[in-house]
Amino acid sequence: MKNLIHKIRGLRVFVLFLKEMRQSRRDRKFIAALILPPTVQLILFGFALNPNVTDLRLGVVDDSRSVLSRELIAAFEASGSFRVKTYFASPTVLGQELSAGKLDAGIIFPPDFARQRERGETAKVQFVLDAVNSNTAGIASGYAQRIINSFNQQFFKSEAGVKLDGATTPLSARVALLYNPGLRNSWFILTGVLGILLILNGTLVAAGAMVKEKEVGTVEQLLMTPAAAWEIITAKIVPLCLLLSLDIWLALGVGWLVFDVPLHGSLLLLYCAGVLCVLAGVGLGTFLATFSRSLQQAQLLSFFVNPPLAMISGATTPIEAMPMWMQAFTWINPVRHFSTVARGILLKGAGIEILFPNLLVLMVFAFILVFFSARQFRKQLG
Amino acid sequence: MEALLEITPDVVAREMLTMDWDEPQTIERSATAIKIRGLRKSYGALEAVRGVDLEIQRGEIFGLIGPDGAGKTSVFQILGGVMQPTTGEAKIFGQSARETRSSIGYLTQAFSLYQDLSVAENMRYMGELRGLSRAEIQRRGMRYLKLFDMDRFTDRLAGRLSGGMKQKLALACALITEPKVLLLDEPTTGVDPVSRREFWDTLAQLSADGMTIVVATPYLDEAERCHRVALMHDGVIHQTGTPAQLRHHSGLKRLEVRAADLSRAETLLCKVESLADVQRFGDRLDVMARNAETAEAITRATLRSAGIAVNEIRAGAPTLENTFVAILRELNGEVNTPAFPVRRKFRDRAPNAIAIGAHELHKRFGKFHAVKGINLEVKYGEIYGLLGANGAGKTTTIKMLCGLIEATSGELTLADEKGGFRSSFVRQRIGYMSQKFSLYDDLTISENLDFFAGVYGVPPAERAEKMQWALEFSGLAGRGNMLTGSLPGGWKQRVAFGAAIMHEPSVLFLDEPTSGVDPLARRAFWQMINRLADRGVAVLVTTHYLEEAEQCNRLGLMVAGELVAQGTPTEVKAAQRGQLIELNTSAPQQAANLLKAEMESWRVSLFGDRLHVIVDEEVLSAIQNLQQRLRRAGIDVRDAYEERISLEDVFIAVVEQARREGKVAAED
């Protein structure tokens, strides 16, 4: 055993590895880059990329002045999505306020609203929305629809036994929400952002580490040692992967602590997938480093690579929303595959038997990227 | 761009005329420019400056000399207003350093230029930063560039200038704001002898204009050109005075001894008690003693009994370097080079086996022909010195010889191999110390040594003693946990040298190993280099200290990518035509300016406070001529005699001639 340790310590790769570890230990920027951006970005993305809409300002014109209308208004308020801001006497004023941007939505009860209901007809209310932000408007109209539906249901239930004997129950679709019963949007976002972070951080940190010796000027002295190029590159990549893969734990910790992201599957499998994702990032970073003479250059270059990777990944936005030709690109994006794996493991408890196609693609990506970038980098050393 | 520094020739001429060419001594220097009282600076537990008092007059060139880590840079940083003292005060014209920052020009060891801006753009940037008008920047900029002989290069990118030129540009940038005080922290480290002289000629003129200059330098011949010098050691100033006062302070006389076997003679004479000090300078020994006659007798007797032929013994005044080394030896004790723990047997080779060989070696970078057909051979056990001005192609040549960059054409031999220099098998037998950045600043000294020992495969059992040796050699025993980046430049060089030879290479490349290293440590370097060569190691070394170069077995002198002279130091010197006359005058700077204006400028150069003039005619009449010429200008010649031509004289003559013939392509 002691002999083995001695042997390993004598290996040139290990000596180089030890040097890299010692250097990173003293590099505060490097350590900060490892910890801060992932934590901050996860929290930011988790909260900011949340498409749930709350507290929309609602204007009301209640010409019905009935129990029914007041109950419906109460139902709107109770949903948490709408907050009654003002009551108006006429729809015209409401319309003005809406166009002035002082309201997000308006609800108008006609004078015969309650009476229509009493007559057994369908009571009609008008719901108007500021659709400048079409996304918010779409979501809000969905909410309004849902609130009115459930109001209908309640209304029918309470009356069914008593008054409307034999009346047909209105049809309603029953939706079963699997895997994310609370429809927690942050779960979707976080599992996606995790992949983006691993690649993004991997690219930046690796590009910095690879370009550093070139920038400082020590690369010459290093090249004059008997260390072979593959030894130099391995000794640089391995510590990077080890340190960056710590980000997986960090991200999971943040997800669990702040957003209650569950873990249904194998942590080990997730970690392995994360390491592959990091490797892909490191490979990409090394590739960028071969084209740069300084850290700044490498970082600027990464601006061309990272945003597209993040956007065309389906990590934060539904792939289904992209045009078809763009959807095709997501298949060659490691972030997409990692997101699928992370969601599968964390939310569904899926195992390797289901996720192996994604894992395989991820692995192929990681090795191709590392292999080619290392070869490119080595060429440059020579 | 083109219009930026354009100026009509007659304006320049007027500028030149208004300059004060007077000898510095003639200016009135009554006003105190800098006053330092009880200055202390601590970095944690380390006290770098331990109570410094100084007063520097207006228009004075004040030299701060001392070994590496004496605290010179700390003093500069406080004076420059970059750093606050722990206690004590530093006043510049009665104000604190921080308040007067706008009237201070500060030049650090590192180049403070924008590499991707041109010469003119760099100057304009500095000027505009200080709110100067464009016309003013043009006027001043052209004046300094003209003064530095750089006005042809306004469009050249700063990054593509040679080291000496970069320093001159940095100085010009510092000068464009016309500061009252100029702080120069080792401005000429790594700058070749010709450029160093030009740089100092400039300083002399600036001082004559009334500028106060404080300068630190590891070159003691430069320090001789200061008005006053302070010797700093361990955070304290030991002696202050004019160079002459310092030289005579010890009361010692100097004997120049030229003998057949200098290194053996040095060891023998060092043991003689009645001799105060023995120092090796190039092709001679300087023996220091109270009484010149008795010392000469003792020296002759000692060397005769050892069977060493004495060629010549000549008495003279001690130089500043003699004094400096003697004082340091007193303060520090002798720097003992610890015995190198040799653990490997040197492979037996055929006599005269070639360790490093190059045949018709060429290197082109795009259009630029950097190395033009070099032929050289270095045998095992030989020390080969590659000399040349900044930008002559030395470093490119070394990089090709050791396989770091591909040659455009030519044949190479390295460590018995004809190719495949990149294999670890070849690398294992090579030691390499690059010009700069040979250590990792963000590792401790021990971690650096550990890394290099490990990567060169020094067996784990030997690592501890090898690392201990390297620490002792660097004078850093017990301080292995210091961060390498916090070391002064000279010390870093020592550690880097130790790191480069721990694996007992058989071929050693040293690119300016001693640049910025103090005189005492430089001696330790060369002792070690000689020992390695004695064991059979082939050493290829570059240096700007030409008296060191005399210790090489063979030399190559490079000019503009070509080897213009090759041979033993004696052969190289013998090839220089003309006789050398050394003049000791009352006003050396003025005399140099005068003679340079009258004869070809390569013939005249300042060596400390002495003037070297190379003449073609018969010596005695030449001396008479020179004396007459100088006397007419009111300069008194105290002493004039024929002197042996030194390597530095040859270097200056060759480089200046090449420049005159427009050969120095790197600059033009």
Side-chain angles (χ1 to χ4, degrees):
Chain A
M1 188 61 200
K2 214 177 159 193
N3 211 345
L4 186 73
I5 292 175
H6 222 76
K7 249 188 191 150
I8 291 175
R9 277 192 58 92
L11 279 180
R12 206 174 284 131
V13 165
F14 180 79
V15 174
L16 288 157
F17 171 78
L18 197 66
K19 176 211 122 199
E20 297 292 336
M21 286 304 262
R22 282 170 167 166
Q23 280 184 301
S24 358
R25 201 185 57 191
R26 284 209 186 78
D27 192 345
R28 283 205 201 131
K29 262 195 268 173
F30 178 74
I31 292 170
L34 227 47
I35 298 171
L36 283 180
T39 318
V40 171
Q41 288 186 25
L42 274 176
I43 294 178
L44 282 183
F45 276 116
F47 284 121
L49 273 184
N50 191 343
N52 293 340
V53 179
T54 55
D55 287 337
L56 288 171
R57 294 161 300 174
L58 183 69
V60 180
V61 178
D62 188 1
D63 290 336
S64 158
R65 293 178 198 278
S66 60
V67 178
L68 197 63
S69 66
R70 278 194 293 274
E71 270 184 23
L72 189 55
I73 293 167
F76 265 86
E77 284 231 282
S79 73
S81 302
F82 297 93
R83 182 171 44 80
V84 174
K85 200 188 167 208
T86 335
Y87 285 88
F88 296 96
S90 80
T92 328
V93 187
L94 186 141
Q96 282 165 358
E97 292 285 289
L98 200 64
S99 63
K102 290 177 183 161
L103 290 175
D104 299 307
I107 187 164
I108 301 156
F109 295 91
D112 59 348
F113 173 70
R115 261 171 283 143
Q116 275 179 347
R117 185 58 249 167
E118 273 161 28
R119 286 202 295 271
E121 295 167 11
T122 308
K124 286 182 183 139
V125 292
Q126 196 185 355
F127 190 73
V128 287
L129 272 165
D130 176 1
V132 169
N133 182 339
S134 61
N135 195 29
T136 310
I139 293 165
S141 92
Y143 285 168
Q145 201 62 56
R146 227 188 295 163
I147 292 165
I148 292 172
N149 280 347
S150 76
F151 182 77
N152 271 341
Q153 264 174 24
Q154 268 182 350
F155 192 80
F156 275 112
K157 258 182 221 153
S158 58
E159 307 234 318
V162 191
K163 278 186 177 173
L164 291 169
D165 200 16
T168 47
T169 320
L171 268 178
S172 76
R174 288 193 165 253
V175 180
L177 297 170
L178 300 176
Y179 311 125
N180 189 356
L183 275 176
R184 298 278 299 263
N185 210 288
S186 55
W187 290 7
F188 172 78
I189 299 287
L190 279 188
T191 46
V193 169
L194 179 58
I196 296 182
L197 273 183
L198 291 179
I199 289 253
L200 197 98
N201 230 21
T203 315
L204 285 180
V205 170
M210 289 299 186
V211 95
K212 191 175 168 191
E213 293 218 28
K214 247 200 284 185
E215 197 176 18
V216 178
T218 42
V219 68
E220 239 168 55
Q221 190 73 38
L222 186 63
L223 287 177
M224 275 312 292
T225 68
W230 73 266
E231 289 173 318
I232 296 175
I233 294 168
T234 311
K236 278 192 187 297
I237 286 180
V238 171
L240 280 180
C241 286
L242 282 181
L243 292 170
L244 280 164
S245 66
L246 295 179
D247 275 351
I248 301 170
W249 305 121
L250 185 79
L252 288 179
V254 171
W256 179 67
L257 274 175
V258 185
F259 300 100
D260 300 314
V261 175
L263 170 74
H264 291 305
S266 156
L267 208 53
L268 185 71
L269 190 61
L270 181 63
Y271 180 73
C272 291
V275 170
L276 289 177
C277 200
V278 164
L279 259 176
V282 168
L284 214 53
T286 311
F287 189 67
L288 295 183
T290 55
F291 293 107
S292 331
R293 261 176 299 136
S294 68
L295 184 59
Q296 277 102 321
Q297 277 185 9
Q299 282 176 342
L300 280 174
L301 270 181
S302 76
F303 275 117
F304 290 106
V305 178
N306 281 326
L309 269 186
M311 286 301 141
I312 317 176
S313 66
T316 56
T317 53
I319 292 175
E320 292 74 16
M322 301 173 195
M324 281 311 284
W325 60 269
M326 200 181 259
Q327 287 191 25
F329 280 106
T330 61
W331 290 106
I332 52 162
N333 186 341
V335 180
R336 176 197 177 136
H337 296 282
F338 180 75
S339 306
T340 312
V341 172
R343 282 171 191 150
I345 294 172
L346 285 170
L347 307 182
K348 298 185 196 164
I352 194 160
E353 67 285 350
I354 293 168
L355 298 172
F356 80 91
N358 297 96
L359 283 168
L360 200 68
V361 175
L362 211 50
M363 200 182 288
V364 169
F365 272 131
F367 283 103
I368 289 180
L369 277 171
V370 168
F371 179 76
F372 275 103
S373 58
R375 219 178 63 161
Q376 197 66 25
F377 194 73
R378 200 185 60 186
K379 245 192 235 160
Q380 209 189 23
L381 289 185
Chain B
M1 225 334 295
E2 300 78 22
L4 174 62
L5 279 173
E6 229 174 301
I7 199 158
T8 47
D10 58 323
V11 178
V12 175
R14 245 179 287 133
E15 278 302 318
M16 302 294 280
L17 282 175
T18 53
M19 268 186 249
D20 195 349
W21 295 89
D22 274 1
E23 186 58 23
Q25 275 90 336
T26 58
I27 345 171
E28 173 225 12
R29 271 193 261 119
S30 53
T32 303
I34 299 174
K35 199 170 197 170
I36 300 178
R37 285 275 162 274
L39 197 71
R40 282 172 185 275
K41 179 70 195 178
S42 308
Y43 303 95
L46 180 85
E47 203 172 21
V49 182
R50 305 185 298 147
V52 164
D53 297 293
L54 267 184
E55 222 167 272
I56 298 166
Q57 310 303 320
R58 202 180 85 88
E60 195 172 29
I61 303 183
F62 191 90
L64 207 52
I65 56 175
D68 306 324
K72 292 168 292 184
T73 297
S74 294
V75 172
F76 274 104
Q77 285 176 337
I78 292 169
L79 280 177
V82 181
M83 197 167 72
Q84 287 292 322
T86 310
T87 58
E89 54 168 26
K91 297 260 170 160
I92 295 175
F93 292 111
Q95 283 179 301
S96 83
R98 215 167 255 271
E99 285 164 347
T100 41
R101 242 153 82 173
S102 57
S103 55
I104 297 172
Y106 182 19
L107 202 59
T108 55
Q109 292 174 31
F111 301 127
S112 46
L113 295 170
Y114 293 90
Q115 310 284 322
D116 36 17
L117 291 186
S118 72
V119 169
E121 284 166 337
N122 260 296
M123 297 200 69
R124 192 166 88 181
Y125 171 73
M126 287 305 289
E128 284 176 349
L129 209 58
R130 303 292 177 101
L132 294 181
S133 72
R134 187 167 292 200
E136 190 76 344
I137 295 172
Q138 270 195 14
R139 195 183 62 79
R140 293 185 191 176
M142 205 58 204
R143 173 186 162 176
Y144 290 118
L145 289 183
K146 191 99 194 159
L147 188 63
F148 299 167
D149 195 22
M150 278 179 65
D151 48 332
R152 286 164 295 157
F153 308 121
T154 51
D155 291 345
R156 178 79 52 95
L157 288 188
R160 296 190 46 208
L161 293 173
S162 66
M165 301 271 279
K166 275 185 194 163
Q167 281 303 56
K168 285 202 277 185
L169 175 59
L171 181 64
C173 285
L175 286 172
I176 199 152
T177 60
E178 309 216 311
K180 291 187 203 136
V181 174
L182 201 53
L183 305 172
L184 308 171
D185 190 4
E186 301 201 358
T188 53
T189 294
V191 175
D192 69 68
V194 178
S195 305
R196 285 205 289 127
R197 280 179 168 74
E198 285 173 0
F199 189 85
W200 275 85
D201 288 344
T202 317
L203 292 189
Q205 279 163 29
L206 292 170
S207 145
D209 286 351
M211 194 173 290
T212 310
I213 300 168
V214 189
V215 56
T217 176
Y219 298 90
L220 274 302
D221 62 330
E222 290 183 349
E224 304 243 19
R225 295 173 75 171
C226 296
H227 297 121
R228 280 193 309 146
V229 170
L231 195 150
M232 201 167 169
H233 179 261
D234 217 2
V236 179
I237 285 182
H238 280 270
Q239 288 185 14
T240 312
T242 62
Q245 282 169 343
L246 251 62
R247 269 183 266 128
H248 298 301
H249 178 81
S250 57
L252 294 175
K253 298 278 181 298
R254 177 177 70 125
L255 290 181
E256 282 181 13
V257 179
R258 287 186 165 84
D261 186 350
L262 277 186
S263 56
R264 205 152 68 87
E266 186 184 8
T267 342
L268 282 171
L269 291 173
C270 275
K271 289 183 192 139
V272 180
E273 294 258 329
S274 57
L275 302 177
D277 204 357
V278 180
Q279 300 163 13
R280 176 160 182 183
F281 281 94
D283 63 344
R284 62 166 209 266
L285 291 179
D286 277 7
V287 175
M288 311 292 289
R290 301 232 157 256
N291 186 313
E293 283 87 56
T294 47
E296 183 170 347
I298 291 169
T299 305
R300 281 190 190 281
T302 312
L303 294 182
R304 195 182 311 122
S305 65
I308 301 171
V310 175
N311 300 334
E312 186 186 13
I313 293 187
R314 183 194 281 172
T319 63
L320 201 53
E321 182 152 352
N322 292 138
T323 317
F324 181 75
V325 171
I327 293 174
L328 279 191
R329 278 187 179 159
E330 233 168 79
L331 290 168
N332 266 351
E334 182 60 57
V335 177
N336 288 321
T337 326
F340 182 73
V342 177
R343 291 289 170 270
R344 218 135 308 150
K345 264 202 194 138
F346 210 79
R347 210 208 302 182
D348 282 325
R349 288 189 175 81
N352 292 334
I354 305 295
I356 308 166
H359 181 70
E360 280 302 311
L361 192 63
H362 284 271
K363 181 71 191 177
R364 281 193 177 85
F365 296 106
K367 273 189 194 165
F368 178 50
H369 203 166
V371 174
K372 303 170 189 163
I374 287 212
N375 294 295
L376 65 78
E377 276 177 358
V378 185
K379 300 183 183 77
Y380 285 100
E382 198 174 40
I383 307 174
Y384 187 96
L386 198 56
L387 311 178
N390 297 113
K394 291 175 305 207
T395 299
T396 310
T397 306
I398 288 196
K399 281 184 186 167
M400 282 191 286
L401 290 175
C402 66
L404 259 182
I405 56 173
E406 205 82 32
T408 308
S409 65
E411 274 170 49
L412 288 164
T413 315
L414 178 63
D416 315 320
E417 307 288 331
K418 283 279 177 196
F421 300 163
R422 305 201 57 92
S423 75
S424 55
F425 174 69
V426 174
R427 290 281 149 96
Q428 192 70 53
R429 288 178 287 158
I430 291 168
Y432 175 78
M433 182 174 166
S434 68
Q435 206 171 47
K436 281 177 233 163
F437 320 116
S438 34
L439 296 172
Y440 293 96
D441 276 352
D442 48 0
L443 293 181
T444 65
I445 301 164
S446 294
E447 285 170 348
N448 259 308
L449 293 173
D450 192 38
F451 169 68
F452 282 106
V455 84
Y456 276 107
V458 175
E462 295 171 23
R463 279 188 208 175
E465 65 171 350
K466 288 274 166 67
M467 284 167 61
Q468 185 57 34
W469 172 84
L471 282 175
E472 274 172 32
F473 174 79
S474 321
L476 289 165
R479 285 197 266 176
N481 288 327
M482 275 174 82
L483 215 53
T484 309
S486 67
L487 284 180
W491 257 334
K492 238 191 255 180
Q493 295 288 90
R494 302 190 215 177
V495 180
F497 180 71
I501 63 169
M502 278 191 296
H503 62 291
E504 299 181 27
S506 39
V507 180
L508 188 57
F509 291 93
L510 304 168
D511 199 358
E512 291 187 29
T514 53
S515 119
V517 175
D518 70 51
L520 226 50
R522 253 161 43 211
R523 288 179 163 71
F525 260 90
W526 277 91
Q527 229 171 332
M528 197 60 225
I529 292 172
N530 279 317
R531 273 189 218 168
L532 288 170
D534 289 344
R535 284 200 53 227
V537 179
V539 184
L540 191 138
V541 61
T542 69
T543 179
H544 286 316
Y545 296 89
L546 291 162
E547 93 266 352
E548 281 181 358
E550 302 251 14
Q551 297 193 42
C552 297
N553 302 102
R554 276 189 319 123
L555 294 170
L557 189 49
M558 269 186 93
V559 173
E562 282 174 78
L563 265 181
V564 293
Q566 211 171 180
T568 64
T570 318
E571 286 165 5
V572 169
K573 284 183 283 185
Q576 173 66 40
R577 65 194 171 86
Q579 288 83 28
L580 176 67
I581 295 168
E582 187 167 282
L583 295 168
N584 194 339
T585 66
S586 58
Q589 183 72 49
Q590 200 185 359
N593 291 344
L594 185 86
L595 292 179
K596 268 188 191 174
E598 288 185 8
M599 47 209 291
E600 293 155 302
S601 70
W602 63 270
R603 294 179 181 274
V604 186
S605 48
L606 266 172
F607 278 66
D609 65 335
R610 288 150 298 138
L611 206 58
H612 282 193
V613 183
I614 295 177
V615 293
D616 291 330
E617 67 257 46
E618 193 262 324
V619 174
L620 281 178
S621 66
I623 288 180
Q624 275 180 353
N625 276 341
L626 287 170
Q627 275 176 329
Q628 276 171 10
R629 262 190 257 179
L630 291 173
R631 204 167 292 139
R632 254 182 274 141
I635 300 167
D636 185 28
V637 178
R638 295 184 191 129
D639 206 355
Y641 40 85
E642 182 179 6
E643 179 59 283
R644 279 162 194 262
I645 287 182
S646 73
L647 264 185
E648 194 154 336
D649 292 303
V650 177
F651 183 90
I652 293 170
V654 169
V655 172
E656 289 266 19
Q657 268 171 12
R659 258 190 214 181
R660 212 169 25 128
E661 291 158 16
K663 249 200 207 161
V664 188
E667 310 280 56
D668 283 295

